[in-house]
Amino acid sequence: MTTSPNTTSTDLGAALRHLLLALAASLVGYAVYDGGYLITVVGFSLIYTVFVTGLNVFMGYAGQTSFGQNAFAAIGAYASAVLTATYGWPPLAAVAAGLAGSVVCAALVGFPTLRLKGHYLAMATLAIGLIVYEAIVQWRSLTNGYMGISGIPPIGIGSYEIASERGQLLFLAIVAALGVFASWLLRNSRFGRALVALSGSEEAARALGINVRRYKLAAFVISAVYASLAGSLFVHFVGFVSPEIVGMHMVILAFTMLYIGGIGTTIGPLVGAIVISLLPETFRTLKDYQDLIYGVALIVILIYAPGGIASLGAALRLPRPAGKPAPANKAGATAS
């Protein structure tokens, strides 16, 4: 019996996904064992995994563009910071308040904004992020402006706080794993297939009976929920928040992680967040050449894995026998 190229590609893709997940789990386990600075680096990568997973729902699954996801991260971060550090709320209640605020804001802003397409939608979402950033800076009586807010307690339930770094890292790993798993369930649901359909052609999706505006708005709100949760996790992990943390640098970094990991794939955000977080630390000993090596590494990855690291299995597809037609391009074939 011969193995078809498509079957071989699927097997390679599945093997690669299992390998990447095993490596990610091993990295978390080693960080818990080793402790120290590695816990901080891996913790940041897990927080970014949550953020980029939400961005992937809107950009990878639904095929839309947003430069304003930092706005919802800021809402979650400052809701947690203000309510816990200033008003003494329990962390989980503050996180829930941030999520609720982000859902309301995303629905109110997304309803008129998502009428736009392409570059216009990208510019409108960019404006959302800039508006929220300026509001944080200028609303000094609440946010303390550029000085930020410190003394934010770690995450916990009721009076119990996860004070140890190892405990916090395990908590972040559980949240990130649940976030990726929820993204996988969503992608393989009827809702996820509809998002993939409208990412290919909104007109064709509309002809199939898909309410394009409603699905785009739902994807935008889901993405905002992930961003808000990531913002809250960050401030409870670090204990501090300032406007720079949720500025445009966060958006650029998230875009890099998404494309390096594999946009449209389920585990791409996890892979991208870990790789981009570890690259500067890997080349730290070559301090004078760190930026050069970092840039070259990114270019090499983008050239030889344009679909992202998580899509390497498809890129390694064996050549088809002469005269054999190409397999059908299934919608969402990149979803892993």
Side-chain angles (χ1 to χ4, degrees):
M1 177 181 291
T2 59
T3 303
S4 71
N6 199 33
T7 302
T8 303
S9 173
T10 302
D11 293 341
L12 285 173
L16 178 64
R17 289 196 298 274
H18 294 153
L19 175 62
L20 293 174
L21 288 173
L23 289 175
S26 301
L27 177 64
V28 173
Y30 180 74
V32 171
Y33 168 77
D34 188 63
Y37 182 62
L38 186 59
I39 285 186
T40 302
V41 176
V42 176
F44 285 160
S45 71
L46 293 173
I47 293 170
Y48 264 109
T49 296
V50 176
F51 183 82
V52 180
T53 296
L55 186 63
N56 189 43
V57 172
F58 191 63
M59 291 185 60
Y61 296 171
Q64 309 302 310
T65 303
S66 174
F67 289 96
Q69 294 307 108
N70 59 324
F72 305 110
I75 292 173
Y78 273 89
S80 284
V82 172
L83 293 177
T84 56
T86 305
Y87 296 101
W89 280 36
L92 282 186
V95 171
L99 291 175
S102 295
V103 168
V104 172
C105 289
L108 293 176
V109 171
F111 186 76
T113 304
L114 295 178
R115 295 171 181 267
L116 304 174
K117 296 181 180 179
H119 302 302
Y120 299 100
L121 176 59
M123 294 304 295
T125 54
L126 175 63
I128 295 170
L130 294 176
I131 290 171
V132 172
Y133 181 86
E134 283 301 316
I136 291 172
V137 172
Q138 299 301 329
W139 199 354
R140 296 187 183 90
S141 61
L142 183 68
T143 65
N144 210 22
Y146 286 114
M147 299 296 292
I149 300 173
S150 59
I152 303 168
I155 198 75
I157 301 175
S159 59
Y160 174 73
E161 294 181 350
I162 306 176
S164 70
E165 290 184 336
R166 288 182 170 84
Q168 291 186 47
L169 183 63
L170 288 174
F171 178 80
L172 291 176
I174 293 171
V175 174
L178 290 176
V180 172
F181 181 63
S183 172
W184 179 81
L185 290 178
L186 187 149
R187 169 60 187 82
N188 291 284
S189 67
R190 182 176 179 180
F191 176 78
R193 291 191 291 272
L195 291 184
V196 175
L198 74 86
S199 72
S201 170
E202 292 189 11
E203 289 72 20
R206 194 174 287 111
L208 292 173
I210 296 173
N211 189 324
V212 172
R213 287 186 58 191
R214 182 182 301 174
Y215 276 79
K216 285 167 64 176
L217 181 60
F220 189 63
V221 171
I222 292 172
S223 182
V225 168
Y226 274 93
S228 178
L229 179 60
S232 293
L233 291 173
F234 183 90
V235 299
H236 288 296
F237 183 62
V238 177
F240 174 77
V241 66
S242 68
E244 287 78 10
I245 294 172
V246 289
M248 281 305 298
H249 176 73
M250 182 181 197
V251 178
I252 296 171
L253 199 58
F255 268 60
T256 307
M257 291 173 175
L258 184 57
Y259 280 94
I260 292 296
I263 186 170
T265 65
T266 303
I267 66 169
L270 170 66
V271 175
I274 291 177
V275 169
I276 298 302
S277 298
L278 291 182
L279 270 182
E281 307 305 323
T282 304
F283 300 126
R284 184 171 293 278
T285 54
L286 304 172
K287 185 178 179 181
D288 295 338
Y289 305 97
Q290 182 175 332
D291 291 340
L292 175 63
I293 296 174
Y294 180 68
V296 171
L298 292 181
I299 292 173
V300 169
I301 291 175
L302 288 174
I303 290 176
Y304 291 100
I309 297 174
S311 299
L312 278 175
L316 295 174
R317 179 182 303 174
L318 297 177
R320 291 188 301 276
K324 186 168 184 174
N329 183 23
K330 297 179 181 179
T334 58
S336 313

